[in-house]
Amino acid sequence: MDNAAIILYFGSDTFSANFGDEVSVTGQVDQYFEQAKPEYVFVAAAKVGGIVANRDYPADFIYDNLMIQSNLIDAAYRNGVKKLVFLGSSCIYPKMAKQPITEDELLSGYLESSNDAYAIAKIAGLRMCRAYRQQYGFNAISLMPTNLYGPNDNFDLESSHVLPALIRKCHEGKDNVSVDMGGPYMHPINLWGDGSPMREFLHVDDLAEACYKCMHCLLYTSDAADEEDSVD
């Protein structure tokens, strides 16, 4: 399972649990939460990939992500977690959303077809957090990061996101040079698309800082249970 990790806070201590494929198995997750009793949870676990992976394995993307987030959010609620932060994705917004994207664009149009299975799963996770707030008063919020990059990224050209794929192609192109005709000359690097799409990128350390601040600073109250959450 890609990125099947969850960050747990036990008071002042922090622990990262790597469930592997077990994160999609309800019994395994229940057992862990019952034993560990974490106080604060960041749900970063997900099956992720680039355009090729999303195109070729849509059933895996929607099923695995629905199971992962459903197990973790429900187990966190039932085991008394004080607060949960669920990480979604900016791909939950419509393909033709107004730019810059605002939160009220959610569900206002068709999704990008190349990754709509993944996006629908993430929308379900966002709505699940909201539903558990409304019905149970569970302090669960959602953050929607954009394209991430940083250390330990996935550079596989079949499953990586756009920035690590670009880095790898440029790196390999740099090593593939010609010295004829007075070179050196880099051979052409083949990139997808026509160059017109606009992308936003966020370093993983900046996301980590934002998650930490949201966990500590954004508080949920029962009076706001029926209102839109500003971090959705």
Side-chain angles (χ1 to χ4, degrees):
M1 187 69 62
D2 300 330
N3 297 343
I6 178 172
I7 309 300
L8 310 171
Y9 271 68
F10 303 89
S12 60
D13 298 326
T14 308
F15 179 70
S16 176
N18 190 342
F19 287 92
D21 290 337
E22 296 175 355
V23 75
S24 60
V25 180
T26 304
Q28 297 284 353
V29 176
D30 285 343
Q31 182 179 10
Y32 182 84
F33 271 80
E34 290 172 0
Q35 294 175 351
K37 290 293 184 183
E39 296 181 47
Y40 303 93
V41 174
F42 295 90
V43 178
K47 181 175 181 63
V48 300
I51 294 176
V52 173
N54 275 273
R55 179 196 65 196
D56 293 344
Y57 307 106
D60 292 347
F61 275 85
I62 193 167
Y63 177 81
D64 288 347
N65 283 299
L66 285 172
M67 293 298 293
I68 289 168
Q69 62 206 30
S70 296
N71 287 335
L72 292 174
I73 295 170
D74 184 66
Y77 159 67
R78 288 186 289 100
N79 286 276
V81 168
K82 294 180 179 179
K83 188 173 183 179
L84 178 143
V85 172
F86 169 72
L87 294 182
S89 170
S90 57
C91 70
I92 67 172
Y93 291 101
K95 178 179 180 179
M96 303 305 295
K98 297 178 183 178
Q99 301 294 327
I101 298 175
T102 56
E103 292 172 355
D104 58 6
E105 288 292 315
L106 183 64
L107 300 178
S108 65
Y110 290 104
L111 299 168
E112 165 57 49
S113 60
S114 64
N115 61 1
D116 58 356
Y118 176 76
I120 289 171
K122 286 299 182 179
I123 292 172
L126 183 157
R127 291 301 197 221
M128 185 173 182
C129 287
R130 178 177 296 177
Y132 272 57
R133 291 199 307 269
Q134 293 175 342
Q135 184 171 341
Y136 303 127
F138 180 46
N139 193 357
I141 64 172
S142 304
L143 304 181
M144 300 297 130
T146 186
N147 293 276
L148 300 175
Y149 70 97
N152 301 313
D153 212 333
N154 173 23
F155 294 93
D156 186 296
L157 293 180
E158 295 296 322
S159 60
S160 63
H161 286 110
V162 57
L163 196 57
L166 287 173
I167 292 173
R168 176 170 173 178
K169 287 183 177 183
C170 291
H171 176 74
E172 292 180 348
K174 181 180 178 182
D175 292 336
N176 186 18
V177 298
S178 297
V179 294
D180 57 330
M181 301 296 292
Y185 300 107
M186 287 183 61
H187 288 278
I189 298 172
N190 293 320
L191 304 178
W192 293 354
D194 60 8
S196 61
M198 302 293 290
R199 296 291 189 96
E200 293 180 338
F201 300 103
L202 180 66
H203 194 276
V204 66
D205 289 349
D206 295 325
L207 173 63
E209 182 178 358
C211 290
Y212 180 83
K213 288 184 177 180
C214 288
M215 178 65 83
H216 282 269
C217 300
L218 291 178
L219 301 178
Y220 162 80
T221 63
S222 58
D223 293 337
D226 296 326
E227 299 178 1
E228 293 288 329
D229 193 317
S230 62
V231 294
D232 280 356

